[in-house]
Amino acid sequence: MNGDKTNLGGFRPRRDLLPFLIAATILFLIARGKDWEAVTAALAGVNLPLFLVGAGGYVLCYYLVTAFCYGLAYGFFVPGIRLRKLYTAFGASLLPQAVFPSLGQGLFLLYMVKKQRVSLFKALGVHVFIMVNDLGVMAAVVGLALFLLPEPPKIFILWFGLLALGLALTLIYARLGGRLLLFPRLHASNFMLALRTGSARQFGGFFAARLGWQAMQIFFHSLALAAIGITAPLGMTGVLVLLMSLTSVLPIAALGFGGPNLVAEFFAPWVAAGKSPSETAFAYGLLFQTVFLAGRLVIGIIFALPIWREIFRPDASLQSK
């Protein structure tokens, strides 16, 4: 990759505009047939100070904890990375991420490659390490739901089983793939470096940090849910929070809307039982994602200009280890 140009942080119409079409379709299908008087009543009845504490606290911790976790993961496998730089870079990436999720993720990777001189495959390998740990957290959340809920949806059992199997196979390949001669070039590459060389202490410490962040998400969402009159079971709240967070950065959401609203709609019978559960959940999804969007935009604007100047100044050239 030495001397090559990259479009990691560039705008691609097909990639970045498709989520808007998907999100608009999701919102249209969900909103169709809603009792808008019930939606308006749910919004009007919100305890706004409590809601802002929950949703605002979530946004602030999303920035602080995610950047810290990036620093922790990169610090394990890339010597010399400064946590302060990652806080600035991740903060800047929230501005495009709020609008085009893949563009924000690409901008952060571009910063690591261009300015921190991390090879692209090594950087991707660190993100794979993060993803594997997050899948472990997902398995823990789904397992907790299976344990706590008296009648969990049957799909949760399949979901937990697939997660456990996928994680087991991934870690077996990462640790033993070289001996088994399975795709040896892939196993020896920087892409697999973090999974291949990470110690039990590194895996355990990072998993604990991500699990702690999940607990914080549940806490802040619970405050926001209570503000709109919803007292949801802990097990189901954990799954709701996890999926709303995940779908916010997948290409089925635009401006934070779409995928998360679909999750809120799906879980309405469990988390918003009572009068007009669908309308209450719909109002919650709209209000929470609006605060999430506004918070990311504000944080992104604070950090964007210096980072963008650093990445895109004319004399900067792409180098990697």
Side-chain angles (χ1 to χ4, degrees), residues 106 145 163 168 190 203 227 240 259 270:
L163 283 171
N190 277 335
F203 271 97
L240 169 71
W270 290 282

Side-chain angles (χ1 to χ4, degrees), residues 234-273:
L234 176 61
M236 198 59 75
T237 301
V239 178
L240 169 71
V241 168
L242 187 149
L243 291 180
M244 283 188 69
S245 176
L246 175 63
T247 54
S248 293
V249 295
L250 290 180
I252 57 172
L255 301 174
F257 298 95
N261 302 92
L262 183 62
V263 171
E265 179 74 11
F266 179 81
F267 284 96
W270 290 282
V271 301

Side-chain angles (χ1 to χ4, degrees), residues 268-288:
W270 290 282
V271 301
K275 186 178 179 181
S276 305
S278 179
E279 283 74 14
T280 304
F282 183 71
Y284 178 76
L286 287 178
L287 197 55
F288 194 93

Side-chain angles (χ1 to χ4, degrees), residues 81-284:
I81 297 294
R82 292 183 179 179
L83 184 60
R84 181 176 60 85
K85 290 284 189 180
L86 293 189
Y87 270 108
T88 304
F90 180 67
S93 76
L94 293 183
L95 181 58
Q97 184 206 93
V99 184
F100 305 108
S102 56
L103 186 60
Q105 295 160 24
L107 180 68
F108 183 81
L109 276 172
L110 181 61
Y111 175 81
M112 298 308 298
V113 171
K114 246 185 144 176
K115 305 309 299 181
Q116 295 298 317
R117 304 296 189 254
V118 181
S119 74
L120 177 59
F121 281 103
K122 183 178 284 188
L124 289 173
V126 173
H127 285 262
V128 169
F129 174 84
I130 295 171
M131 287 172 57
V132 168
N133 277 276
D134 282 350
L135 288 175
V137 171
M138 182 182 288
V141 170
V142 177
L144 181 66
L146 288 171
F147 177 74
L148 292 179
L149 295 173
E151 295 183 10
K154 290 184 173 58
I155 195 172
F156 280 21
I157 300 173
L158 176 62
W159 186 7
F160 180 80
L162 289 175
L163 283 171
L165 178 62
L167 285 167
L169 292 176
T170 299
L171 292 175
I172 288 171
Y173 174 72
R175 312 308 286 199
L176 301 176
R179 299 178 189 176
L180 300 175
L181 299 179
L182 293 173
F183 307 105
R185 291 184 63 183
L186 172 63
H187 186 266
S189 70
N190 277 335
F191 185 74
M192 293 294 296
L193 177 67
L195 291 183
R196 189 178 69 244
T197 64
S199 66
R201 184 176 180 179
Q202 288 169 337
F203 271 97
F206 192 80
F207 177 78
R210 297 303 282 175
L211 195 61
W213 165 228
Q214 184 63 32
M216 293 171 68
Q217 290 184 73
I218 293 172
F219 171 73
F220 286 119
H221 266 277
S222 295
L223 291 180
L225 285 166
I228 204 169
I230 298 173
T231 304
L234 176 61
M236 198 59 75
T237 301
V239 178
L240 169 71
V241 168
L242 187 149
L243 291 180
M244 283 188 69
S245 176
L246 175 63
T247 54
S248 293
V249 295
L250 290 180
I252 57 172
L255 301 174
F257 298 95
N261 302 92
L262 183 62
V263 171
E265 179 74 11
F266 179 81
F267 284 96
W270 290 282
V271 301
K275 186 178 179 181
S276 305
S278 179
E279 283 74 14
T280 304
F282 183 71
Y284 178 76

